[in-house]
């Protein structure tokens, strides 16, 4: 391997790691790049990088202290620019790492993997998740009614663990259920005429369109249930039934897909909060 | 007299730079590299590297760490002073001059500037930076910052005194930053552990400095013994005796640290050290197989057994 930056003391361990990555990820030897750029926008070249078959970039940074300020910068840039990187932090076995448990905890929270390099092989301590999804803004749970906190926490974890589609669908479920409950409660208060939709079975879009057209914020005592909010909810009905996206064919598409889902997830969480706040007066 | 060498300042492509095989620097410590990496990422390369051009490439004379960091940071160019190709001797001499004559800043000069840095960072962050943040932003090690803080907190006249001392050549410097750092650490321990013995810190500091100047305290490391006396209770020594000795040490201009130490806590520390050594030796002996013992070790162990036997019989 042709290193420039990596201090000489860490190079033998890095060679072992390179062989391990090639073997475990089925990479050709030339597929693993050394200290090369992974994205022109990011001012940091990890020790190793390679393109995986699922279009993620596998990166590994060798360091004797696991974390250092510039690696935090790299992680943050990957998250901000939605670069689909799976990052391993690798350290040689036997070195004294200051605050090791704390550093492992931080690595865990950042979604990066950890590898210990032993004398002739490596041991994966933690698998990484894609940095393009870990950068999602998590919902501030304390702002939500208690009934939603558990499901939002789970959805958030589902998102960062690499299944953003499912996470979005889970939040959409909550929004849809809430819309149906709003219709039922308003119906019981005689706020609608005849020809109401079947609040339990009608399509989501029909429910939203009806509420937008017939629910008077003044009559319902919910001044914030405005048409603009219903329009935003109507906007998500299109994505509601998408169980998955079409397969991506390259890293750029993967990045675009993750960026889109990140926006959708954050937006859905915001809508759920606004809708639950706005419909509070209708609660029994 | 050698002809002075001059060069031009240019932005040169990183991809065309080659390291100098004659670079005397052989060790690139990971921690130091990371500090530099972070500094260059934040503030860029503040000091150009030095190189000469050969066959369309640039060979480094000075700045290999900066070059390595720039490669790592995906930079395309680096500022460089470009010289004409030197002779092999000039190449070596230039590197030795650049590397061996470069000195770190004196600690006090950093300590004197640090309050300004803290004030500016506080304004930027909205709160006072902690030690870690200060280390990250200044590129200083946290240990250096702690040492600087001890100097920062000294009364002004002591800082002037150190500055005057720093103006002297190194070999003539007597009262250095390290003297104050050792003394301050010891005094802090005493003030925490046995505050009754220090009626006036400034007076005690002056007295200890005079003793140091007169050779009553002949080594700055001796100040550590003051802290050990103050922690007498930790090793089971009499705190009353330790307090008496410290009170005398801080009042009597001729009383030595060594004397106070031997009269108060030396035996207790020796005993603790022996116990630690015996426990460690015992563990090591446990791990030895009889087949591992060669003649030399057998003889040493026999001698030790006899010594221990005699000691125990004398006591009995």
């Amino acid at each position: 391997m042709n290193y420039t930056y990596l201090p000489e003391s860490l190079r033998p361990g890095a060679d072992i790691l390179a062989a391990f990555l090639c073997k475990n990820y089925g990479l050709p030897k030339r597929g693993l790049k050394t200290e090369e750029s992974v994205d022109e926008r990011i001012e940091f070249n990890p020790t190793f990088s390679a393109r995986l078959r699922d279009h993620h970039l596998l990166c590994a940074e060798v360091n004797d202290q696991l974390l250092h300020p510039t690696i935090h910068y790299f992680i943050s840039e990957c998250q901000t620019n939605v670069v689909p990187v799976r990052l391993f932090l690798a350290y040689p076995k036997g070195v004294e790492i200051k605050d090791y448990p704390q550093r492992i905890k931080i690595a865990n929270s950042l979604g990066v993997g950890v590898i210990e390099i032993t004398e002739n092989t490596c041991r994966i301590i933690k698998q990484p998740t894609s940095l393009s999804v870990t950068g999602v803004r998590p919902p501030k749970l304390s702002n939500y009614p208690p009934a939603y906190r558990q499901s939002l926490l789970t959805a958030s974890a589902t998102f960062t663990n690499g299944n953003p589609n499912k996470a979005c669908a889970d939040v959409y479920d909550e929004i849809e259920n809430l819309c149906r409950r709003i219709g039922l409660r308003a119906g019981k208060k005689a706020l609608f005429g005849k020809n109401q939709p079947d609040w339990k079975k009608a399509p989501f879009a029909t429910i939203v369109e009806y509420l937008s057209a017939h629910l008077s914020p003044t009559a319902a005592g919910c001044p914030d249930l405005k048409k603009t909010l219903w329009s935003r909810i109507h906007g998500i009905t299109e994505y509601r039934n998408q169980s998955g996206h079409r397969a991506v064919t390259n890293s750029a598409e993967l990045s675009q897909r993750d960026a889109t889902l990140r926006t959708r997830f954050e937006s859905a969480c915001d809508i759920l909060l606004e809708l639950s706040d706005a419909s509070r007066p209708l609660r029994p | 007299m050698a002809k002075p060498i001059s060069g031009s300042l240019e932005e040169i492509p990183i991809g065309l730079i080659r390291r100098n095989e004659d670079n005397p620097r052989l060790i690139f410590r990971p921690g130091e590299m990371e500090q530099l990496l972070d500094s260059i990422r934040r503030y860029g390369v503040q000091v150009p590297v030095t190189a000469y051009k050969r066959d369309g490439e640039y060979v480094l004379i000075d700045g290999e760490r900066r070059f390595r960091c720039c490669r790592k940071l995906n930079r395309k160019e680096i500022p460089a002073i470009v010289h004409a190709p030197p002779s092999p001797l000039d190449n070596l001499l230039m590197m030795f001059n650049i590397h061996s004559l470069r000195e770190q800043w004196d600690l006090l000069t950093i300590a004197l500037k640090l309050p300004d840095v803290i004030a500016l960072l506080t304004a930027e962050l909205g709160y006072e930076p902690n030690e870690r943040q200060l280390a990250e932003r200044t590129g200083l090690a946290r240990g250096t910052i702690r040492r600087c803080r001890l100097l920062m907190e000294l009364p002004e006249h002591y800082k002037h005194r150190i500055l005057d001392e720093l103006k002297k050549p190194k070999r003539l410097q007597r009262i250095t930053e390290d003297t104050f750092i050792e003394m301050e650490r010891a005094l802090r321990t005493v003030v925490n552990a046995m505050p009754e013995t220090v009626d006036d810190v400034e007076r005690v500091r002056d007295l200890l400095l005079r003793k140091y100047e007169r050779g009553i305290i002949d080594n700055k490391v001796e100040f550590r013994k003051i802290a050990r006396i103050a922690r007498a209770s930790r090793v089971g020594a009499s705190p009353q005796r330790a307090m008496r000795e410290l009170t005398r040490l801080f009042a009597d201009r001729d009383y030595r640290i060594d004397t106070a130490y031997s009269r108060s806590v030396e035996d207790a520390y020796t005993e603790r050290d022996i116990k630690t050594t015996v426990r460690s030796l015992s563990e090591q002996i446990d791990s030895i197989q009889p087949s591992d013992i060669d003649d030399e070790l057998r003889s040493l162990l026999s001698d030790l057994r006899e010594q221990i036997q005699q000691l125990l019989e004398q006591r009995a």
Side-chain angles (χ1 to χ4, degrees), chain B residues 142-178:
Chain B
R142 291 173 71 166
T144 308
I145 289 171
R146 274 196 289 274
R147 286 154 60 82
C148 284
R149 281 192 192 275
L150 282 172
L151 295 174
M152 276 159 61
E153 284 161 24
L154 281 173
E156 284 305 313
H157 63 277
Y158 288 118
K159 293 180 192 166
H160 291 304
R161 190 165 173 182
I162 300 173
L163 269 181
D164 287 342
E165 198 78 16
L166 285 174
K167 287 172 190 163
K168 298 177 188 170
K170 281 259 184 218
R171 64 192 165 80
L172 297 178
Q173 290 173 13
R174 172 86 179 131
I175 297 195
T176 63
E177 297 126 309
D178 282 343

Side-chain angles (χ1 to χ4, degrees), chain A:
Chain A
M1 292 293 166
N2 193 12
Y3 307 104
T4 302
Y5 171 83
L6 192 69
E8 282 73 0
S9 58
L10 298 174
R11 291 182 183 184
D15 288 342
I16 294 168
L17 175 66
F20 175 84
L21 292 175
C22 286
K23 188 178 160 194
N24 280 268
Y25 284 87
L27 302 169
K29 212 162 189 188
R30 274 181 299 172
L32 195 68
K33 294 175 178 169
T34 309
E35 296 181 354
E36 284 191 29
S37 169
V38 293
D39 188 301
E40 282 308 310
R41 293 167 295 180
I42 299 177
E43 291 188 327
F44 185 84
N45 300 346
T47 312
F48 298 120
S49 58
R51 202 164 290 282
L52 298 176
R53 287 191 178 83
D54 67 357
H55 310 296
H56 278 90
L57 282 159
L58 174 73
C59 294
E61 175 68 4
V62 180
N63 186 271
D64 66 350
Q65 289 301 305
L66 206 59
L67 289 165
H68 56 86
T70 316
I71 201 73
H72 281 286
Y73 158 81
F74 177 67
I75 293 165
S76 146
E77 285 296 292
C78 287
Q79 290 174 337
T80 308
N81 293 301
V82 204
V83 185
V85 162
R86 291 186 196 278
L87 173 67
F88 274 114
L89 301 177
Y91 65 92
K93 187 181 180 182
V95 295
E96 192 181 329
I97 297 177
K98 212 175 160 196
D99 304 327
Y100 180 78
Q102 181 65 16
R103 287 176 190 226
I104 289 285
K105 210 169 148 188
I106 293 170
N108 205 17
S109 69
L110 293 170
V112 298
V114 178
I115 285 184
E116 183 182 64
I117 305 168
T118 60
E119 267 180 26
N120 45 24
T121 185
C122 297
R123 185 168 71 97
I124 294 179
I125 291 174
K126 187 194 165 294
Q127 289 283 359
T129 49
S130 175
L131 294 180
S132 57
V133 292
T134 54
V136 72
R137 170 169 56 86
K140 194 175 177 192
L141 295 176
S142 58
N143 288 346
Y144 289 81
Y148 296 115
R149 291 178 194 169
Q150 175 63 47
S151 55
L152 283 174
L153 189 67
T154 309
S156 207
T158 304
F159 196 101
T160 51
N161 285 333
N163 198 348
N165 275 321
K166 170 82 169 64
C168 288
D170 289 348
V171 184
Y172 291 153
D173 274 350
E174 294 293 348
I175 295 171
E176 181 178 336
N177 290 338
L178 180 55
C179 287
R180 291 181 191 278
R181 283 201 300 277
I182 291 169
L184 276 169
R185 286 170 193 162
K188 279 183 188 166
K189 290 190 175 184
L191 293 173
F192 303 128
K194 291 174 184 171
N195 300 327
Q196 291 177 37
D198 181 339
W199 294 109
K200 289 185 178 166
K201 291 183 183 165
F204 183 29
T206 309
I207 298 282
V208 178
E209 283 159 16
Y210 188 89
L211 289 170
S212 174
H214 297 94
L215 183 63
S216 157
T218 320
C222 302
D224 293 328
L225 276 182
K226 292 173 185 162
K227 280 206 185 301
T228 49
L229 179 57
W230 293 119
S231 300
R232 284 167 62 204
I233 298 170
H234 195 265
I236 67 173
T237 58
E238 192 185 332
Y239 315 129
R240 173 65 190 89
N241 295 322
Q242 285 180 5
S243 57
H245 281 249
R246 67 183 174 83
V248 292
T249 55
N250 56 46
S251 282
E253 279 184 21
L254 180 62
S255 170
Q256 182 58 46
R257 187 206 73 172
D258 286 348
T260 304
L261 289 174
R262 219 156 89 170
T263 310
R264 283 186 192 172
F265 181 79
E266 290 169 359
S267 166
C269 290
D270 291 344
I271 287 174
L272 179 61
L273 178 61
E274 284 180 51
L275 187 61
S276 67
D277 279 349
S279 62
R280 198 184 298 259
L282 276 175
R283 278 188 214 160

Side-chain angles (χ1 to χ4, degrees), chain B residues 3-15:
Chain B
K3 197 174 82 176
I5 300 164
S6 61
S8 59
L9 181 61
E10 301 173 22
E11 289 281 337
I12 61 175
I14 295 271

Side-chain angles (χ1 to χ4, degrees), chain B residues 26 41 79 83 177 203 243 248 251 273-274 277 305 312:
Chain B
L26 295 174
R41 182 178 65 77
H83 290 288
E177 297 126 309
R203 184 194 65 74
M243 223 177 281
R248 184 167 173 197
D273 292 348
I274 290 173
T277 311
R305 183 179 57 190
L312 293 176

Side-chain angles (χ1 to χ4, degrees), chain B residues 272-288:
Chain B
R272 188 192 66 172
D273 292 348
I274 290 173
K275 282 177 186 166
T276 310
T277 311
V278 168
R279 282 191 197 106
S280 159
L281 182 64
S282 168
E283 276 173 23
Q284 286 182 36
I285 289 173
D286 269 346
S287 67
I288 297 176

